[in-house]
Amino acid sequence: QIHLMESGGGSVQAGGSLTLSCTASRINLDEYDMGWYRQPPTPGAECETVSTRTADGTTYYTGSVKGRFSISRDNAKTVSLQMNNLKPEDTAMYFCAAPVKPGGDCKQCCISLRAMGQGTPVTVAS
């Protein structure tokens, strides 16, 4: 895994919006297939694939965020995740990773990325 840095997490009310950014320092992130993952704070919760973006711009979204979240390239080193109409069930630690399998699961991603010091928290209050 390439070391990346997430930012933009925070606390919002349901229906609010946040924009998460994933930034690479040593590589051009837009040259890789990358993804956003999340793990809710519930003990034993699985790591869920939220969205992925390939180097050629093909995107994938998990069903629960379709129509609400949008992944996009900001520049060569930054990919953002725009999150609108947030719901309490979106509350989780969010991670980005590259390279990844587009649209694929990465059950161990959250554990390994958390161990690398990555992640940005999102809390949505009802």
Side-chain angles (χ1 to χ4, degrees):
Q1 293 287 346
I2 299 168
H3 191 270
L4 304 171
M5 184 172 68
E6 303 90 345
S7 61
S11 297
V12 296
Q13 294 291 318
S17 298
L18 285 172
T19 301
L20 306 184
S21 294
C22 177
T23 302
S25 59
R26 299 184 178 184
I27 54 99
N28 288 334
L29 184 57
D30 66 348
E31 295 176 1
Y32 293 81
D33 297 341
M34 66 80 61
W36 284 96
Y37 305 86
R38 67 184 179 186
Q39 186 174 40
T42 307
E46 289 192 338
C47 187
E48 178 187 23
T49 302
V50 178
S51 179
T52 61
R53 182 188 183 279
T54 64
D56 67 1
T58 301
T59 58
Y60 161 86
Y61 300 94
T62 192
S64 63
V65 308
K66 282 182 179 177
R68 301 189 297 122
F69 290 15
S70 178
I71 190 170
S72 62
R73 170 192 180 276
D74 291 353
N75 54 55
K77 294 187 179 297
T78 302
V79 174
S80 293
L81 184 69
Q82 175 69 42
M83 306 187 298
N84 298 324
N85 190 23
L86 282 160
K87 302 178 180 181
E89 51 264 42
D90 295 319
T91 295
M93 185 70 80
Y94 283 71
F95 305 88
C96 63
V100 302
K101 179 181 178 182
D105 291 335
C106 191
K107 300 297 185 185
Q108 298 301 311
C109 276
C110 296
I111 295 174
S112 57
L113 293 169
R114 191 187 298 267
M116 292 170 62
Q118 289 190 212
T120 188
V122 171
T123 302
V124 185
S126 58

